[in-house]
Every structure is written in structure tokens, then in C-alpha cells.
Amino acid sequence: MKQAFPLPGRRWWTGLPPAAGAAVMADGILSVGLHLIGFDGLSLAALVLAAALWLVLAADFTTRLVGDRGRFRAEADTPAALMAVAATTVLGTRISMLGWQGIAAALLALAAVLWPGLLITVVRHWARRVPGTAFLVCVATQGLAVLAATLAAAVHRDWLARAALAAFCLGLLLYAVALVHFDFREVLRGAGDQWVAGGALSISALAGSKLTASPVWTGSAHAALRIATLVTLALSLGWYVLLLAAELRRWRPHYDIRRWATVFPLGMTATACLSAAGPTGVGRLRPLGEVLLWIAVGAWLLTFAALAATRPGTP
């Protein structure tokens, strides 16, 4: 795996590994979070960056699919391949928040087409012990739930909300499966993607908050969704504390492309807190989310600075 984005040059974009999708996810979720706290200028800047990188990765994905099937099949076997689905859904969610529902719906359709094939391929090639990227089976599925629920609220389509609920439940099941296979030694020695173990629960909580806010469910169904949202959010915060403690114990300041898979869960946890505060009625989640969001922005800046300081070919 290349440890840094290649510097601009002739066909530089063909050297990007699937793990680069985490940068789209990080930019996209920071854009969502910054919008929720009213920093729309920064939010739009993050969205433009996410969209530009998504287009680059989409072009690379298509080129490999058409012209380099061997590389495509080899990379499709890895959990990082599911970042294509997750990045598309995160980008679509922010675009939906702009009111561009047609584009958001197209991105949802694209992600839904890519998801089953990549999911089955990844799960079939799981080892007995897997790294944090294995939790992308949950992240990609919950990304579909988040985008479907967001679109359901925007265009008033109950069937989309029900599809989001199905994806939400499946995502939780896939999280449990990934957790059974997860190599817990990665908490201390991971290169950054170990944070996805917590980020997967955070995006589950974000999906739960969207569903809880939906008028489709009332009574006991609404109460169950509220509890599920708060439980997944509490568990994700527990992972946050554990992983942060592990980072402080074993400091790893060098750049690795998998560090974008650290920034994304940081931003996702913050955004989940901000999104859940209203539907769950736990107002204290909002100030917590604001603090966590600025921590995520700081992590983005540190990761970008480390990238900028990395020489081509440096591991």
C-alpha cells in the first residue's frame, strides 16, 4: 500500500489506492458537521474538496474496471474497497442537505448498485483476524441508511425511510460480525484504520438519529429507535476514549494514508452527537458534538500537514 498520495504529475491519479476514499469520507463528514453548527463557508470548502477527490477516485475506479481488471479484482477483495460506497453516501448526504435531491438520489442509486457485490467479495475473503477496515462492512451499509433517511425526509418518501431502517438493522448485524473477527491488537498497533471500529458505531448512531427524527415511526417503534441511537452513540464514545488512550500510549506521528480513516471517525462521532441531540431529546449532546467537531478539524489539519511534509516514496 502506498503510504502517501502521489504528487501531481503524469497520470498521478492512477496511483491512488482504495484507502484514499477515507479522505473523501473525512472531508464529507466534516462538511456535514460544520453545516450543523453554522460554519457554512468552511462546510462548503470541505464539500468542494470532497467532491473533487471523489471525482478523481471515480475516474480511477472506472479506469481500473475497464482497463485493468486484474488490479480491480485484487483491490475489490479488500475491505478498503467498500470506501467507494461509504464515500459516495457521505457525499450524497451533504449534497442532499444543499437541496440538490436529484444528484443525491443518483449517488444513492450508485452506492446501492456497488454495495452488494463489494460486500460479498470482501466478506468472502476475510481472514480469521481482520484490521479496523473490516468495519467498513457496517460503515458502507449504514452510509446507505443515512443517505436514504436524509432523502426520505427531503422528498417525503416513506419507502425510503423503511429501506433506511432495513439498512440500519443490517449494518448493526454486520458490525457484530466484524467485531467477532477484529484483531484487538490493532487498537495499539494500528496505522489509523483501527478508529473505524468506533466510527462504524458513530455512523450507526447518525443513521439512528435520522430514523428517530422521521415521522414514519411513532410510539414503541420511535422509542426503540431512540434507545438504539443512544446506545450506539454511547458505545462509539467508549471506543473514542479507548482509542485515544491507545494513541497517547503509543504515539505514531508519521504520515500514513490510513490516518484519513482516523479523521473520518472523529468527525463522524462529532456529527452523530450533533444530529442526535434534537431527535433524542438529549440537549447536552450538542455542545459535546461541537467540541468533538473542532477536535476532528484539528486532526484533519495535522493529517494534511503530515501529508504535505511527506516526500514522494517515503513510507
Side-chain angles (χ1 to χ4, degrees):
M1 177 182 293
K2 296 186 178 184
Q3 300 302 310
F5 289 109
L7 295 180
R10 184 175 179 270
R11 294 177 65 83
W12 63 270
W13 48 273
T14 60
L16 293 174
V24 180
M25 296 159 64
D27 295 337
I29 201 59
L30 287 180
S31 179
V32 172
L34 288 165
H35 171 72
L36 291 177
I37 64 172
F39 283 79
D40 286 331
L42 288 176
S43 174
L44 289 175
L47 175 60
V48 169
L49 190 57
L53 184 54
W54 184 89
L55 288 172
V56 169
L57 293 174
D60 189 24
F61 182 94
T62 303
T63 299
R64 282 182 279 120
L65 178 61
V66 174
D68 192 353
R69 298 299 294 273
R71 179 186 169 192
F72 178 85
R73 284 192 294 267
E75 292 181 343
D77 292 347
T78 64
L82 283 166
M83 287 185 182
V85 176
T88 300
T89 59
V90 172
L91 182 63
T93 298
R94 181 62 183 97
I95 287 175
S96 177
M97 294 169 71
L98 284 174
W100 300 347
Q101 308 307 339
I103 298 176
L107 290 173
L108 175 60
L110 175 61
V113 168
L114 293 174
W115 171 75
L118 290 175
L119 179 67
I120 293 170
T121 302
V122 167
V123 172
R124 284 179 57 194
H125 289 86
W126 261 357
R128 183 176 179 180
R129 287 288 174 259
V130 293
T133 50
F135 289 97
L136 284 166
V137 298
C138 171
V139 173
T141 306
Q142 296 292 13
L144 291 171
V146 170
L147 180 50
T150 302
L151 274 170
V155 300
H156 308 291
R157 294 291 186 270
D158 290 354
W159 70 267
L160 272 175
R162 294 188 178 93
L165 178 61
F168 173 71
C169 295
L170 179 58
L172 292 178
L173 177 61
L174 289 170
Y175 184 89
V177 174
L179 186 64
V180 170
H181 290 271
F182 180 53
D183 185 353
F184 281 89
R185 293 174 296 180
E186 289 291 303
V187 171
L188 281 175
R189 70 184 188 188
D193 56 357
Q194 70 275 16
W195 280 83
V196 184
L201 285 172
S202 297
I203 194 172
S204 299
L206 178 59
S209 71
K210 298 283 187 181
L211 292 168
T212 304
S214 172
V216 174
W217 292 282
T218 58
S220 59
H222 178 271
L225 284 169
R226 178 180 180 274
I227 292 171
T229 299
L230 291 174
V231 169
T232 52
L233 184 55
L235 291 173
S236 74
L237 289 170
W239 268 110
Y240 192 111
V241 173
L242 174 63
L243 291 164
L244 180 59
E247 293 281 2
L248 295 175
R249 179 178 178 182
R250 184 171 294 184
W251 184 244
R252 289 152 284 186
H254 62 279
Y255 176 75
D256 188 295
I257 196 170
R258 287 166 289 186
R259 271 303 176 194
W260 294 107
T262 299
V263 179
F264 169 71
L266 292 174
M268 181 56 72
T269 304
T271 303
C273 288
L274 292 168
S275 181
T280 63
V282 184
R284 288 174 293 181
L285 288 173
R286 183 168 181 83
L288 174 60
E290 292 178 0
V291 171
L292 295 180
L293 182 62
W294 290 117
I295 292 174
V297 170
W300 187 98
L301 292 172
L302 288 174
T303 303
F304 183 79
L307 165 61
T310 301
R311 296 179 181 180
T314 302

PDB file of all heavy atoms in Angstrom, residues 3-4 18 22 61 76 82 90 121 141 143 155 169 197 200 211 231 240 246 281 285 293 310:
ATOM      1  N   GLN A   3       1.881   4.839   0.962  1.00  0.00           N
ATOM      2  CA  GLN A   3       1.636   5.492   2.232  1.00  0.00           C
ATOM      3  C   GLN A   3       1.320   6.973   2.096  1.00  0.00           C
ATOM      4  O   GLN A   3       1.066   7.638   3.070  1.00  0.00           O
ATOM      5  CB  GLN A   3       2.866   5.307   3.144  1.00  0.00           C
ATOM      6  CG  GLN A   3       3.188   3.847   3.414  1.00  0.00           C
ATOM      7  CD  GLN A   3       2.033   3.128   4.044  1.00  0.00           C
ATOM      8  OE1 GLN A   3       1.460   3.599   5.017  1.00  0.00           O
ATOM      9  NE2 GLN A   3       1.659   1.990   3.505  1.00  0.00           N
ATOM     10  N   ALA A   4       1.394   7.528   0.893  1.00  0.00           N
ATOM     11  CA  ALA A   4       1.069   8.929   0.687  1.00  0.00           C
ATOM     12  C   ALA A   4       0.405   9.083  -0.660  1.00  0.00           C
ATOM     13  O   ALA A   4       0.607   8.282  -1.560  1.00  0.00           O
ATOM     14  CB  ALA A   4       2.323   9.792   0.768  1.00  0.00           C
ATOM     15  N   PRO A  18      -7.481   2.238  -2.887  1.00  0.00           N
ATOM     16  CA  PRO A  18      -8.852   2.407  -2.389  1.00  0.00           C
ATOM     17  C   PRO A  18      -8.919   3.129  -1.046  1.00  0.00           C
ATOM     18  O   PRO A  18      -9.911   3.812  -0.758  1.00  0.00           O
ATOM     19  CB  PRO A  18      -9.353   0.962  -2.269  1.00  0.00           C
ATOM     20  CG  PRO A  18      -8.545   0.192  -3.257  1.00  0.00           C
ATOM     21  CD  PRO A  18      -7.181   0.843  -3.245  1.00  0.00           C
ATOM     22  N   ALA A  22     -11.035   7.232   2.206  1.00  0.00           N
ATOM     23  CA  ALA A  22     -11.239   7.736   3.565  1.00  0.00           C
ATOM     24  C   ALA A  22     -11.105   9.246   3.622  1.00  0.00           C
ATOM     25  O   ALA A  22     -11.718   9.902   4.471  1.00  0.00           O
ATOM     26  CB  ALA A  22     -10.245   7.077   4.523  1.00  0.00           C
ATOM     27  N   PHE A  61     -11.410   4.464 -10.471  1.00  0.00           N
ATOM     28  CA  PHE A  61     -12.205   3.238 -10.308  1.00  0.00           C
ATOM     29  C   PHE A  61     -12.695   2.731 -11.668  1.00  0.00           C
ATOM     30  O   PHE A  61     -12.584   1.543 -11.986  1.00  0.00           O
ATOM     31  CB  PHE A  61     -13.396   3.541  -9.386  1.00  0.00           C
ATOM     32  CG  PHE A  61     -14.274   2.356  -9.082  1.00  0.00           C
ATOM     33  CD1 PHE A  61     -14.057   1.591  -7.949  1.00  0.00           C
ATOM     34  CD2 PHE A  61     -15.326   2.017  -9.924  1.00  0.00           C
ATOM     35  CE1 PHE A  61     -14.881   0.501  -7.657  1.00  0.00           C
ATOM     36  CE2 PHE A  61     -16.145   0.938  -9.645  1.00  0.00           C
ATOM     37  CZ  PHE A  61     -15.920   0.172  -8.508  1.00  0.00           C
ATOM     38  N   ALA A  76     -10.716  -5.232  -5.027  1.00  0.00           N
ATOM     39  CA  ALA A  76     -12.107  -5.451  -4.605  1.00  0.00           C
ATOM     40  C   ALA A  76     -12.206  -6.482  -3.499  1.00  0.00           C
ATOM     41  O   ALA A  76     -13.225  -6.546  -2.799  1.00  0.00           O
ATOM     42  CB  ALA A  76     -12.951  -5.883  -5.801  1.00  0.00           C
ATOM     43  N   LEU A  82     -14.799  -1.031   0.056  1.00  0.00           N
ATOM     44  CA  LEU A  82     -16.119  -0.535   0.466  1.00  0.00           C
ATOM     45  C   LEU A  82     -16.127   0.964   0.742  1.00  0.00           C
ATOM     46  O   LEU A  82     -17.191   1.561   0.916  1.00  0.00           O
ATOM     47  CB  LEU A  82     -16.603  -1.295   1.700  1.00  0.00           C
ATOM     48  CG  LEU A  82     -17.135  -2.706   1.405  1.00  0.00           C
ATOM     49  CD1 LEU A  82     -17.263  -3.508   2.684  1.00  0.00           C
ATOM     50  CD2 LEU A  82     -18.468  -2.638   0.681  1.00  0.00           C
ATOM     51  N   VAL A  90     -21.680   9.461   1.957  1.00  0.00           N
ATOM     52  CA  VAL A  90     -21.386  10.658   2.760  1.00  0.00           C
ATOM     53  C   VAL A  90     -21.486  11.904   1.892  1.00  0.00           C
ATOM     54  O   VAL A  90     -22.077  12.922   2.293  1.00  0.00           O
ATOM     55  CB  VAL A  90     -19.992  10.549   3.406  1.00  0.00           C
ATOM     56  CG1 VAL A  90     -19.598  11.869   4.067  1.00  0.00           C
ATOM     57  CG2 VAL A  90     -19.969   9.428   4.440  1.00  0.00           C
ATOM     58  N   THR A 121     -17.889  -9.837  -1.850  1.00  0.00           N
ATOM     59  CA  THR A 121     -16.491 -10.140  -2.170  1.00  0.00           C
ATOM     60  C   THR A 121     -15.593  -9.940  -0.962  1.00  0.00           C
ATOM     61  O   THR A 121     -14.715 -10.770  -0.671  1.00  0.00           O
ATOM     62  CB  THR A 121     -16.010  -9.253  -3.328  1.00  0.00           C
ATOM     63  OG1 THR A 121     -16.842  -9.472  -4.467  1.00  0.00           O
ATOM     64  CG2 THR A 121     -14.568  -9.569  -3.695  1.00  0.00           C
ATOM     65  N   THR A 141     -22.861   0.081   4.803  1.00  0.00           N
ATOM     66  CA  THR A 141     -24.296  -0.223   4.925  1.00  0.00           C
ATOM     67  C   THR A 141     -25.037   0.896   5.652  1.00  0.00           C
ATOM     68  O   THR A 141     -26.126   1.317   5.237  1.00  0.00           O
ATOM     69  CB  THR A 141     -24.482  -1.558   5.666  1.00  0.00           C
ATOM     70  OG1 THR A 141     -23.713  -2.570   5.012  1.00  0.00           O
ATOM     71  CG2 THR A 141     -25.944  -1.975   5.678  1.00  0.00           C
ATOM     72  N   GLY A 143     -24.021   3.931   5.765  1.00  0.00           N
ATOM     73  CA  GLY A 143     -23.999   5.092   4.871  1.00  0.00           C
ATOM     74  C   GLY A 143     -25.224   5.104   3.972  1.00  0.00           C
ATOM     75  O   GLY A 143     -25.832   6.161   3.730  1.00  0.00           O
ATOM     76  N   VAL A 155     -37.727  14.407   0.474  1.00  0.00           N
ATOM     77  CA  VAL A 155     -38.690  14.237  -0.632  1.00  0.00           C
ATOM     78  C   VAL A 155     -39.981  13.559  -0.175  1.00  0.00           C
ATOM     79  O   VAL A 155     -40.857  13.279  -0.993  1.00  0.00           O
ATOM     80  CB  VAL A 155     -38.055  13.436  -1.796  1.00  0.00           C
ATOM     81  CG1 VAL A 155     -36.831  14.162  -2.326  1.00  0.00           C
ATOM     82  CG2 VAL A 155     -37.691  12.011  -1.370  1.00  0.00           C
ATOM     83  N   CYS A 169     -30.598  -1.871  10.439  1.00  0.00           N
ATOM     84  CA  CYS A 169     -30.584  -3.141  11.174  1.00  0.00           C
ATOM     85  C   CYS A 169     -29.508  -4.075  10.634  1.00  0.00           C
ATOM     86  O   CYS A 169     -28.789  -4.723  11.407  1.00  0.00           O
ATOM     87  CB  CYS A 169     -31.955  -3.806  11.088  1.00  0.00           C
ATOM     88  SG  CYS A 169     -33.282  -2.889  11.912  1.00  0.00           S
ATOM     89  N   ALA A 197     -13.426   1.061  13.984  1.00  0.00           N
ATOM     90  CA  ALA A 197     -14.203   0.253  14.935  1.00  0.00           C
ATOM     91  C   ALA A 197     -15.189   1.123  15.708  1.00  0.00           C
ATOM     92  O   ALA A 197     -16.323   0.713  15.996  1.00  0.00           O
ATOM     93  CB  ALA A 197     -13.262  -0.470  15.898  1.00  0.00           C
ATOM     94  N   ALA A 200     -17.738   3.143  12.971  1.00  0.00           N
ATOM     95  CA  ALA A 200     -18.866   2.369  12.464  1.00  0.00           C
ATOM     96  C   ALA A 200     -20.077   2.508  13.390  1.00  0.00           C
ATOM     97  O   ALA A 200     -21.226   2.563  12.925  1.00  0.00           O
ATOM     98  CB  ALA A 200     -18.473   0.898  12.327  1.00  0.00           C
ATOM     99  N   LEU A 211     -33.466   8.285  11.564  1.00  0.00           N
ATOM    100  CA  LEU A 211     -34.681   7.478  11.635  1.00  0.00           C
ATOM    101  C   LEU A 211     -35.569   7.908  12.798  1.00  0.00           C
ATOM    102  O   LEU A 211     -36.797   7.931  12.684  1.00  0.00           O
ATOM    103  CB  LEU A 211     -34.309   6.002  11.770  1.00  0.00           C
ATOM    104  CG  LEU A 211     -33.647   5.381  10.537  1.00  0.00           C
ATOM    105  CD1 LEU A 211     -33.057   4.024  10.881  1.00  0.00           C
ATOM    106  CD2 LEU A 211     -34.646   5.255   9.396  1.00  0.00           C
ATOM    107  N   VAL A 231     -27.725   4.138  22.541  1.00  0.00           N
ATOM    108  CA  VAL A 231     -26.810   3.047  22.896  1.00  0.00           C
ATOM    109  C   VAL A 231     -25.619   3.008  21.947  1.00  0.00           C
ATOM    110  O   VAL A 231     -24.472   2.902  22.381  1.00  0.00           O
ATOM    111  CB  VAL A 231     -27.558   1.698  22.896  1.00  0.00           C
ATOM    112  CG1 VAL A 231     -26.575   0.536  22.993  1.00  0.00           C
ATOM    113  CG2 VAL A 231     -28.542   1.637  24.053  1.00  0.00           C
ATOM    114  N   TYR A 240     -14.095   5.828  21.391  1.00  0.00           N
ATOM    115  CA  TYR A 240     -13.339   7.075  21.226  1.00  0.00           C
ATOM    116  C   TYR A 240     -12.320   7.223  22.353  1.00  0.00           C
ATOM    117  O   TYR A 240     -11.129   7.492  22.113  1.00  0.00           O
ATOM    118  CB  TYR A 240     -14.319   8.248  21.226  1.00  0.00           C
ATOM    119  CG  TYR A 240     -13.771   9.581  20.794  1.00  0.00           C
ATOM    120  CD1 TYR A 240     -14.179  10.160  19.595  1.00  0.00           C
ATOM    121  CD2 TYR A 240     -12.874  10.301  21.578  1.00  0.00           C
ATOM    122  CE1 TYR A 240     -13.698  11.399  19.182  1.00  0.00           C
ATOM    123  CE2 TYR A 240     -12.396  11.543  21.192  1.00  0.00           C
ATOM    124  CZ  TYR A 240     -12.812  12.086  19.981  1.00  0.00           C
ATOM    125  OH  TYR A 240     -12.338  13.308  19.584  1.00  0.00           O
ATOM    126  N   ALA A 246      -5.076   4.750  23.613  1.00  0.00           N
ATOM    127  CA  ALA A 246      -4.075   3.937  22.924  1.00  0.00           C
ATOM    128  C   ALA A 246      -3.145   4.807  22.088  1.00  0.00           C
ATOM    129  O   ALA A 246      -1.938   4.548  22.007  1.00  0.00           O
ATOM    130  CB  ALA A 246      -4.770   2.903  22.036  1.00  0.00           C
ATOM    131  N   GLY A 281     -33.761  14.146  22.297  1.00  0.00           N
ATOM    132  CA  GLY A 281     -34.094  14.992  23.431  1.00  0.00           C
ATOM    133  C   GLY A 281     -32.985  15.140  24.442  1.00  0.00           C
ATOM    134  O   GLY A 281     -33.220  15.619  25.563  1.00  0.00           O
ATOM    135  N   LEU A 285     -25.840  16.677  24.174  1.00  0.00           N
ATOM    136  CA  LEU A 285     -25.044  16.102  23.098  1.00  0.00           C
ATOM    137  C   LEU A 285     -24.551  17.166  22.126  1.00  0.00           C
ATOM    138  O   LEU A 285     -23.509  16.986  21.490  1.00  0.00           O
ATOM    139  CB  LEU A 285     -25.855  15.054  22.329  1.00  0.00           C
ATOM    140  CG  LEU A 285     -26.123  13.739  23.063  1.00  0.00           C
ATOM    141  CD1 LEU A 285     -27.078  12.876  22.239  1.00  0.00           C
ATOM    142  CD2 LEU A 285     -24.811  12.989  23.312  1.00  0.00           C
ATOM    143  N   LEU A 293     -16.160  18.120  17.175  1.00  0.00           N
ATOM    144  CA  LEU A 293     -16.002  18.503  15.773  1.00  0.00           C
ATOM    145  C   LEU A 293     -14.734  19.314  15.570  1.00  0.00           C
ATOM    146  O   LEU A 293     -13.995  19.094  14.594  1.00  0.00           O
ATOM    147  CB  LEU A 293     -17.216  19.306  15.308  1.00  0.00           C
ATOM    148  CG  LEU A 293     -17.193  19.714  13.835  1.00  0.00           C
ATOM    149  CD1 LEU A 293     -17.173  18.482  12.938  1.00  0.00           C
ATOM    150  CD2 LEU A 293     -18.392  20.598  13.498  1.00  0.00           C
ATOM    151  N   THR A 310       5.464  14.935   3.670  1.00  0.00           N
ATOM    152  CA  THR A 310       5.948  13.634   3.256  1.00  0.00           C
ATOM    153  C   THR A 310       6.542  13.706   1.861  1.00  0.00           C
ATOM    154  O   THR A 310       5.892  14.179   0.921  1.00  0.00           O
ATOM    155  CB  THR A 310       4.805  12.605   3.259  1.00  0.00           C
ATOM    156  OG1 THR A 310       4.262  12.524   4.569  1.00  0.00           O
ATOM    157  CG2 THR A 310       5.323  11.214   2.854  1.00  0.00           C
TER     158      THR A 310
END
